[in-house]
Amino acid sequence: MGLPNTPMLSKPAVLLLLHLLVIANSVYSLQQPFNCHDQERSALLEFKQSIFIDKSASGSYGAYPKVLSWKPAEGTNKACCSWDGVECDEQTGHVIGLDLNSSFLYGSINSNSTLFRLTHLQRLNLADNHFNYSRIPTSIRNFPRLTYLDLSYSVFSGKVPSELSQLSKLSFLDLSHNLDTSSGKRLLKLDGFVFRSLVQNLTSLEKLHLSSINISSTIPDSVANLSNLTSLLLSDCGLFGQFPIRIFELQNLKVLTVKSNHDLFGYLPEFNESSHPKSLNYISVNACNFSGMLPSSLGNLSQLKHLDLSDNMFHGLIPASLANLTQLTWLSLSNNNFTSSSLLWVCKLTKLTVLYLERTNLSGYIPSSFGNLKHLIFLNLLDNEVKGPIPFSFGNLTRLTHLCLAINQLSGSIPESLFNHMDLEVLYLQENDLHGTIDILKLPRLTRLGLDGNKLVLLDESRRVNATALPKFKFLSLRSCNIKEFPNFLRYQRSLEFLNLGGNKLEGQVPKWMWNTSTESLLFLDLSYNFLSVFGQLTVVALPWRNLQVLRLQFNMLQGSLPMPPPNMIYYSISDNKLIGEISPLFCNLSTLSFLDLSNNKLSGMLPQCLGNFSDNLLVLDLGNNSFHGILPQTYSNTSSLRTIDVSYNQLQGKLPESLENCVMLESLVLSNNEFNDVFPFWLGTLPELQILAMRYNGFYGVIGKPHKSSRFLKLRIFDLSYNNFTGEFPPEYIFSGNTMKEFTPNEAQYMETNTDSGLLVGETVFSYGYPFSITITNKGVDRYYEKIQQDIGVIDISCNKFEGKIPEFIGNLKGLRFLNVSNNILTGTIPSSLGKLTLLEALDLSNNRLSGEIPQQLKQLTSLAYFNISHNNLTGSIPQGRQFNTFENTSFEGNPGLCGEPLPKKCGDAKTPTPLPPSSIDGVDFDWKFALAGFGSGLLVGVVLADITITRKRELFLEIVGVLIRLIKRIKRERSGCRN
Ligand SMILES: *[C@@H]1O[C@H](CO)[C@@H](O)[C@H](O)[C@H]1NC(C)=O
Ligand SMILES: *[C@@H]1O[C@H](CO)[C@@H](O)[C@H](O)[C@H]1NC(C)=O
Ligand SMILES: *[C@@H]1O[C@H](CO)[C@@H](O)[C@H](O)[C@H]1NC(C)=O
C-alpha cells in the first residue's frame, strides 16, 4: 500500500510477459494451462478455512472478500490458478503470487498456517486486513524466492522476525502502519540489529516502507548502499541520531519520508546538477530535528512535487531558487527559524495545491501575482509579519477551501473577490487590522471562521433568509470584534463545537434562545470579558450543553449562583463576577476537571470536603477572594496533579491538612489573608516543585525550630510569612539550604505559570492555556498585586512578625533574591555584610527593628537596589555615599538617632566623607521594577485543528488561532503599610 502514485507492481509488464509466454507455448498451454498442484490448492483452502471474513477488517474503498471465490472444484486441478488473487507459474504450475490485500480477512495467523506451504511464492500481499495482533510468523523464511511482501495496515504486532533478512531477493517490503485499531498505537517493533541486517542483506530493495514501526534506533549508513532504492518511508519510527546524508545521493530515489522522528538530526546537502537523484519527487522531514540552512541548490530538484520541511530547526533565508520547483503541488516550510523573507518566490509555483508557510518569518506585502496560484486548496500564512491589503487577485484562487492569514499585519478591507469562493470552508483572519464587512450568506460552505481582533463587521441577515441558507458552523471565533448583541444566526446553529465571543460588548442577559443552540455539539464556550449580568436564571442551574468541556465566563458582571457544569467539564473559569452562594458538592462529580477558577466573586459557605481529591486531572484550583469560611478540604489524593492552589482572601481557619504533602506536583500554594492558625508547615518542604509559598496575614505562630525530618524547599523562591505571629529566630538555613535560589541565572523573559503541557483536545481543536502565577507582595512598602511573575524572581518577606535575634549571615547566599523584607520584627545585632553579595537585590527593607552598628560599606555593591529602608533602628555612624545611596531619600534612614551624613540633615563630625560619584557614573541603572506590572499581560491561546485532507490516510495539521486572550489585572488590593497589631 504505499503512497498513492507509487504502483505496487509493474502489472502491465507482467501481463505482457505472460502473454508472450502463452503464445510461445501455446500447444502445451492449451493442454495444461496453469497446472495447479493439489498440495498448494489444499493449502489455500485450509487457509480460507482458518480465517474469517469480516467487513470491518479492511478499510480501503475497493475492498471485497477475494477468498469467497475459492471453491474446491472436483476433478479439475487447474482451478486454483484462476482463483481471485492467486497467480501461478505457468510452466511449473506453482503458486507464485498471492494478492489478498483489502479482502476483509480477520483472524490470527501463525507459523503453522498452511500459507507457508506455498514455498514457491514470489509475491505476497496481505495488506489492509485484520490479523488480530498476530506476530509476523517466523516461517516467512519458507519463501526464499519472495521479491514482494506487503503486510501493511493489517494489525500485526510484536517483534519483526529476524528471518525476514533471509529473504534476500526482496525488492518491495512494506510493513508500515500496523496500528492498534482503537488507540492508534504502533504495534510492531523492529530491533535495531534486525533493521541493520535487513538493510545489509536485502540489497535488491527498491521500496522499503517501515512507517509507524517502533524502531528506536539510528538509521544504518548502509541504507545508502541500496543502490536500487526508489522509495524509503520511515515516518514515526522513533528513529534518532544523524540522518545518513548519503541517502540523498541514491540515484534512483523518488520518495523519502522520515517525518515525525523527533530526535532525528540532519540537514539538507547540496544538490549538485551531477549528483542529485534526478527523479526525487517527494521529500518529507516534517517534525524531525533537521537544521542548517536550505541550500540554494534545492532548486535543482526540478521533479519535486511534495516538499515538507515543517516543524524543524532550519534557519537562514528561504532560498529564492525555490521558485524553480515549478512541479510542486505540496509545500510546507512551517515552523522553522527562517530569517525574514518576502513571498515573491512563491508566485511562480503555479501547480501548488497546498501551501503551508506558518511561522516562517515572512514579511512585506502579498504580491498581486499570488493570484497565479490558481490550484491552491489550502493556504496557511499564520503568524508572520505580512502586511498591507489582501490582494484583489485572491479572487482567482477559486479552489481555495482553507484560508488562514491569522496573526499578521494585514490591513485594509476584505476584497469583495474573496466572496467568489463559494467553496471556502475555513477562513481565519484573526489578529490583523482588517476592516469591512463579512457576509456569511456569501460563504455558505463555511464551517470555521475566526475574525478576532479586527475591525470587521459580521453581516447578519439571518432574519431575512431561510435558516438552511446559513453556513453550518463548527468553529466560530469572534473575540474582540466589538459585538454588542448575540448574533441572531447563532439561533440556528446545530453543530457548533467552538464558540468564542469573549472581549466584546455583550451586556445584560444571555438570550434564552442561546440555551437551545448546539446543545449536543458545543464543547467550548467563551463569553469572558463582556458585561453580562445574567446567565440563565439566578438560581442554581445546570448548563444545557451536555458535552461542554471548556467554559470561560470570567470578567463579566454575572449575578446569582454558580452554573452547574456538565459532567465532562475540563476547564471552568468564572472568576471576577458577582456570584453568590456556595460551591455545590456536585462539583466533585467533575472527575475530568483540570482547571477551576472561581476567584473574585462573592461566594460563601464552607468548601466541600471532596474538593481536594475529586479529580486527578485538576491542575489549578483558584478560590481566592471570596467569603469562604471553615477549614480547607482535608484529603488530597496521592495521584493528585494539582500545581496551583490559591485560597487567599477568604476567612478560612484551622490547621493546614498534612495530606497536602500528597500533591507532589504543587508549584504554588497561596494561603494569604485568611485566619489559618498553625505552626510553620515544615512538612511542605518535601514538595519537590514548590516555588511559591505565601502565608501572609494569617495566624501562623511559634518558633521555626530545626525540623525533625530533612525537608528541603528545593525550588522555593517566593516565600512570604509576613503579618503572622512567628517568634524566635528566623532560620533560613533550615529552609533554603540546597535551594536553587543559591545559584540563579536571571531569566527575565519567562513567567511562572501552570500550563497544559501538550494541550487539551477539545473536539478537533487543541486548546492550550497558561495560567500565570499571581500574587500580592509588598513592594516599596505598599502591597501590590502581580498578575504575572517572572521566573527568576526571588522574594523573602518575614515582616510584621515577632522574630528575634540577628539577621542571619546565611541570607547572603541566596543570590537570586530580589526582595528582602524583614521589617517590623524585633531583630537585633548588626546588618550582616554578606547582604552585599545579593547583587540582584532590588528592595531591602530592614526598618522597624532594633538593629545597631554601622551600615556595612558592602551594601554599595547592590547596584540594582531601588528601594532601601533601614528607618527606625539603632544604627549609628555615617551613611555610605555614592552609587545607589545617592538616590535614597532621608525617610530611608530616619529614626536612627546615631546616623549621620547625606541625605540626613545631621552632618558627620570629623568623618572622612567619601567623595560622591558624579550622577553620570551611576551606570544608567534603571530603577524601575523590572517585573512591574507590564500593563496588561497577555496569554496567547493557540489551538491546532486537525482538518481532513485526504492525502493518503493521514490527517494533516492545520493550525488555527483561538484568540489572543487579554488577561486583565485580576485584582489590585492595596493594604495599608505597617502592621495591623
Ligand atoms: C502450531 O503448532 C504448534 C506445535 O508445532 C501447536 O502447539 C499449535 O497448537 C499449532 N497452532 C495451530 C493454530 O495449529
Ligand atoms: C543474509 O542472507 C543469506 C542468504 O542470502 C542468509 O544465509 C543469511 O543468514 C542472511 N543474514 C541474516 C543476518 O539474516
Ligand atoms: C538493480 O536493478 C537493476 C535493474 O533492474 C538490476 O539489474 C540490478 O541487479 C539491481 N541491483 C541489485 C543490487 O539488485
Side-chain angles (χ1 to χ4, degrees):
M1 304 274 301
L3 293 161
N5 306 327
T6 52
M8 296 183 304
L9 258 189
S10 175
K11 285 233 167 80
V14 173
L15 289 177
L16 179 65
L17 191 64
L18 285 175
H19 189 62
L20 292 174
L21 287 171
V22 169
I23 293 168
N25 299 295
S26 53
V27 178
Y28 177 81
S29 307
L30 279 173
Q31 289 165 350
Q32 274 194 311
F34 304 140
N35 196 358
C36 182
H37 294 253
D38 287 350
Q39 237 193 355
E40 294 184 344
R41 189 183 50 218
S42 56
L44 288 169
L45 288 172
E46 280 177 52
F47 171 70
K48 179 186 171 184
Q49 294 300 315
S50 73
I51 204 118
F52 299 95
I53 300 294
D54 182 334
K55 288 216 164 159
S56 64
S58 300
S60 89
Y61 186 67
Y64 69 98
K66 294 183 186 169
V67 297
L68 284 190
S69 72
W70 297 5
K71 301 254 169 60
E74 285 301 322
T76 163
N77 59 3
K78 56 183 174 179
C80 94
C81 292
S82 59
W83 287 349
D84 207 352
V86 180
E87 183 195 352
C88 295
D89 180 290
E90 89 164 28
Q91 293 198 325
T92 65
H94 286 299
V95 175
I96 56 167
L98 192 57
D99 180 356
L100 294 179
N101 90 77
S102 304
S103 298
F104 297 143
L105 300 180
Y106 177 84
S108 304
I109 191 166
N110 66 22
S111 272
N112 4 1
S113 167
T114 56
L115 269 192
F116 298 104
R117 290 198 222 137
L118 304 170
T119 53
H120 296 270
L121 267 191
Q122 295 171 21
R123 286 177 281 279
L124 176 60
N125 187 349
L126 297 176
D128 188 26
N129 290 293
H130 192 310
F131 291 106
N132 196 19
Y133 308 95
S134 302
R135 298 288 159 101
I136 296 176
T138 53
S139 42
I140 195 84
R141 64 168 173 259
N142 295 0
F143 303 143
R145 298 180 175 86
L146 218 53
T147 60
Y148 183 102
L149 178 61
D150 191 346
L151 303 179
S152 62
Y153 292 97
S154 40
V155 202
F156 280 106
S157 75
K159 281 194 179 177
V160 173
S162 63
E163 282 77 3
L164 266 184
S165 50
Q166 297 172 15
L167 308 181
S168 58
K169 293 207 161 70
L170 274 182
S171 69
F172 181 103
L173 177 60
D174 191 345
L175 306 177
S176 53
H177 300 289
N178 280 285
L179 302 172
D180 189 301
T181 44
S182 51
S183 71
K185 286 209 178 103
R186 297 173 299 189
L187 292 173
L188 281 179
K189 178 159 175 46
L190 176 60
D191 282 335
F193 74 92
V194 179
F195 187 26
R196 241 155 279 272
S197 62
L198 274 180
V199 168
Q200 266 159 24
N201 236 12
L202 312 187
T203 51
S204 303
L205 277 176
E206 291 171 17
K207 295 193 173 150
L208 179 58
H209 298 179
L210 302 176
S211 291
S212 300
I213 299 182
N214 179 2
I215 304 183
S216 300
S217 132
T218 55
I219 301 180
D221 284 332
S222 47
V223 171
N225 299 339
L226 298 171
S227 56
N228 281 356
L229 203 64
T230 61
S231 173
L232 181 62
L233 310 187
L234 295 173
S235 55
D236 188 27
C237 293
L239 294 165
F240 54 81
Q242 198 71 32
F243 178 80
I245 202 71
R246 283 174 51 229
I247 289 177
F248 283 112
E249 290 167 18
L250 284 168
Q251 285 302 305
N252 296 304
L253 196 64
K254 291 190 177 123
V255 178
L256 171 68
T257 165
V258 287
K259 65 187 271 182
S260 301
N261 289 290
H262 308 290
D263 296 317
L264 186 64
F265 297 85
Y267 61 95
L268 295 188
E270 290 293 340
F271 296 96
N272 296 323
E273 281 296 358
S274 55
S275 69
H276 75 257
K278 297 293 177 296
S279 30
L280 193 55
N281 66 44
Y282 189 111
I283 301 178
S284 173
V285 299
N286 160 257
C288 294
N289 209 333
F290 275 53
S291 58
M293 314 244 274
L294 302 190
S296 179
S297 55
L298 190 57
N300 291 340
L301 300 178
S302 55
Q303 298 304 306
L304 217 48
K305 291 191 176 128
H306 181 115
L307 178 62
D308 189 348
L309 305 178
S310 56
D311 303 301
N312 280 288
M313 311 276 280
F314 289 112
H315 68 268
L317 282 172
I318 297 175
S321 63
L322 292 195
N324 299 337
L325 302 177
T326 52
Q327 299 302 310
L328 276 180
T329 60
W330 212 108
L331 176 63
S332 175
L333 304 177
S334 295
N335 298 312
N336 280 290
N337 300 329
F338 294 120
T339 37
S340 177
S341 72
S342 84
L343 267 165
L344 277 171
W345 55 274
V346 177
C347 301
K348 297 227 174 77
L349 308 178
T350 53
K351 292 195 176 163
L352 281 176
T353 57
V354 175
L355 178 59
Y356 290 156
L357 296 174
E358 159 199 324
R359 293 203 186 89
T360 42
N361 214 353
L362 297 169
S363 57
Y365 298 92
I366 303 181
S368 165
S369 52
F370 206 88
N372 296 345
L373 310 185
K374 292 195 175 64
H375 296 96
L376 270 187
I377 300 172
F378 290 84
L379 173 60
N380 186 352
L381 301 181
L382 174 73
D383 198 3
N384 282 291
E385 280 157 37
V386 177
K387 61 183 177 187
I390 301 175
F392 189 80
S393 63
F394 261 57
N396 298 343
L397 312 180
T398 51
R399 297 201 185 166
L400 214 52
T401 62
H402 288 60
L403 174 60
C404 175
L405 303 174
I407 317 196
N408 276 291
Q409 292 153 23
L410 295 168
S411 54
S413 61
I414 305 270
E416 192 60 27
S417 61
L418 199 66
F419 299 108
N420 302 342
H421 300 305
M422 297 290 280
D423 286 344
L424 211 54
E425 291 166 26
V426 175
L427 178 61
Y428 293 140
L429 301 173
Q430 294 97 314
E431 305 305 331
N432 280 290
D433 194 19
L434 295 163
H435 55 80
T437 49
I438 300 247
D439 181 354
I440 52 172
L441 288 180
K442 291 190 177 160
L443 299 170
R445 304 247 165 86
L446 215 51
T447 58
R448 300 179 159 260
L449 176 65
L451 303 179
D452 313 16
N454 285 285
K455 298 190 191 77
L456 292 165
V457 178
L458 198 61
L459 206 59
D460 183 2
E461 298 281 349
S462 53
R463 282 174 222 274
R464 291 199 300 109
V465 301
N466 190 322
T468 54
L470 291 167
K472 293 173 183 61
F473 286 109
K474 279 184 153 185
F475 178 102
L476 191 58
S477 194
L478 304 174
R479 188 171 190 86
S480 303
C481 287
N482 209 8
I483 296 175
K484 300 189 179 70
E485 265 180 56
F486 280 79
N488 186 61
F489 69 87
L490 288 178
R491 254 177 219 266
Y492 310 107
Q493 297 298 321
R494 293 285 169 265
S495 43
L496 265 175
E497 292 176 2
F498 186 107
L499 176 61
N500 189 347
L501 293 172
N504 281 297
K505 296 186 175 148
L506 302 172
E507 57 178 24
Q509 188 164 1
V510 176
K512 291 241 162 54
W513 53 256
M514 264 303 287
W515 286 62
N516 295 324
T517 286
S518 298
T519 48
E520 291 295 330
S521 58
L522 199 66
L523 303 171
F524 183 108
L525 177 61
D526 188 343
L527 301 174
S528 62
Y529 296 95
N530 278 292
F531 303 95
L532 296 169
S533 55
V534 183
F535 188 70
Q537 291 94 3
L538 287 174
T539 52
V540 181
V541 67
L543 296 173
W545 304 282
R546 58 191 64 115
N547 293 307
L548 198 66
Q549 295 178 354
V550 176
L551 179 64
R552 294 167 45 84
L553 295 174
Q554 66 266 39
F555 290 93
N556 277 288
M557 295 147 70
L558 293 174
Q559 300 165 13
S561 49
L562 274 179
M564 192 58 221
N568 299 327
M569 207 69 186
I570 294 174
Y571 180 110
Y572 184 97
S573 176
I574 197 162
S575 74
D576 298 271
N577 280 290
K578 297 176 178 170
L579 297 168
I580 54 168
E582 306 192 356
I583 302 181
S584 157
L586 293 175
F587 267 77
C588 295
N589 296 340
L590 306 174
S591 60
T592 54
L593 202 65
S594 89
F595 184 101
L596 181 61
D597 187 354
L598 308 178
S599 63
N600 298 312
N601 277 292
K602 295 174 180 165
L603 299 168
S604 57
M606 312 250 283
L607 299 176
Q609 278 298 306
C610 52
L611 219 49
N613 62 352
F614 69 100
S615 163
D616 282 347
N617 299 307
L618 197 64
L619 302 176
V620 173
L621 178 63
D622 192 344
L623 307 174
N625 206 19
N626 280 290
S627 298
F628 296 116
H629 66 266
I631 56 172
L632 274 181
Q634 298 290 297
T635 330
Y636 299 84
S637 150
N638 59 9
T639 49
S640 163
S641 310
L642 268 167
R643 308 237 194 112
T644 300
I645 298 178
D646 189 338
V647 294
S648 60
Y649 296 97
N650 280 291
Q651 289 117 46
L652 297 168
Q653 297 168 331
K655 291 189 191 301
L656 300 184
E658 291 207 18
S659 80
L660 272 174
E661 247 183 336
N662 289 335
C663 303
V664 291
M665 310 290 280
L666 201 62
E667 295 168 20
S668 172
L669 179 59
V670 183
L671 306 166
S672 306
N673 299 73
N674 277 290
E675 290 157 23
F676 290 116
N677 201 271
D678 201 348
V679 295
F680 181 73
F682 255 119
W683 46 270
L684 285 174
T686 57
L687 296 177
E689 302 296 331
L690 195 66
Q691 297 177 45
I692 299 181
L693 177 57
M695 308 167 51
R696 69 201 327 250
Y697 284 106
N698 273 292
F700 290 100
Y701 63 89
V703 177
I704 305 182
K706 198 169 165 38
H708 297 304
K709 52 180 174 182
S710 80
S711 60
R712 293 219 190 119
F713 293 84
L714 288 180
K715 290 194 179 164
L716 193 63
R717 62 182 67 152
I718 294 187
F719 181 58
D720 191 346
L721 299 185
S722 61
Y723 301 93
N724 279 290
N725 297 317
F726 287 111
T727 53
E729 294 196 16
F730 173 61
E733 64 279 13
Y734 296 157
I735 298 166
F736 289 101
S737 54
N739 185 282
T740 48
M741 213 171 2
K742 286 205 294 191
E743 66 273 350
F744 223 59
T745 34
N747 182 3
E748 292 181 20
Q750 300 285 320
Y751 292 94
M752 297 196 216
E753 62 173 22
T754 296
N755 53 34
T756 48
D757 299 324
S758 51
L760 305 166
L761 193 63
V762 179
E764 293 171 326
T765 306
V766 175
F767 166 69
S768 56
Y769 61 83
Y771 187 70
F773 290 158
S774 56
I775 199 168
T776 302
I777 49 178
T778 303
N779 167 357
K780 298 189 185 180
V782 179
D783 286 358
R784 247 180 145 159
Y785 174 71
Y786 292 89
E787 54 147 352
K788 294 206 282 188
I789 306 169
Q790 242 172 256
Q791 241 175 22
D792 63 351
I793 229 72
V795 178
I796 293 181
D797 189 343
I798 60 164
S799 64
C800 299
N801 278 284
K802 297 189 187 99
F803 285 114
E804 308 166 12
K806 295 185 169 183
I807 298 177
E809 284 274 342
F810 180 89
I811 288 186
N813 296 326
L814 303 175
K815 298 208 178 63
L817 270 187
R818 305 264 181 157
F819 296 107
L820 176 60
N821 186 351
V822 302
S823 69
N824 291 290
N825 279 292
I826 324 169
L827 298 170
T828 52
T830 55
I831 300 176
S833 59
S834 68
L835 295 187
K837 293 191 285 182
L838 300 175
T839 50
L840 298 176
L841 207 60
E842 295 171 17
L844 177 60
D845 192 344
L846 312 176
S847 65
N848 290 295
N849 278 292
R850 293 176 193 164
L851 301 170
S852 56
E854 299 202 1
I855 303 172
Q857 289 291 323
Q858 286 86 342
L859 296 193
K860 280 167 68 177
Q861 297 159 18
L862 303 180
T863 49
S864 299
L865 203 59
Y867 179 78
F868 180 62
N869 192 349
I870 54 168
S871 63
H872 302 285
N873 278 291
N874 296 323
L875 295 162
T876 54
S878 54
I879 294 172
Q881 300 294 313
R883 294 192 164 252
Q884 308 312 95
F885 278 86
N886 284 4
T887 68
F888 304 135
E889 311 263 327
N890 59 3
T891 48
S892 294
F893 305 97
E894 68 191 11
N896 289 285
L899 273 186
C900 64
E902 294 283 343
L904 290 178
K906 182 177 165 192
K907 297 251 169 353
C908 300
D910 54 345
K912 13 172 186 37
T913 326
T915 341
L917 295 170
S920 61
S921 68
I922 307 183
D923 309 333
V925 174
D926 178 4
F927 295 120
D928 272 349
W929 298 98
K930 291 211 178 96
F931 82 124
L933 285 182
F936 303 105
S938 59
L940 191 66
L941 268 179
V942 177
V944 181
V945 163
L946 295 167
D948 275 314
I949 307 173
T950 18
I951 289 176
T952 71
R953 301 184 187 184
K954 290 158 215 156
R955 305 183 96 195
E956 301 294 336
L957 290 180
F958 196 78
L959 204 129
E960 74 186 5
I961 290 306
V962 171
V964 173
L965 253 190
I966 305 295
R967 198 177 161 81
L968 293 162
I969 299 170
K970 229 167 72 165
R971 57 193 120 137
I972 297 184
K973 283 253 166 187
R974 279 164 193 270
E975 311 261 345
R976 255 176 306 116
S977 130
C979 303
R980 61 186 160 179
N981 41 9

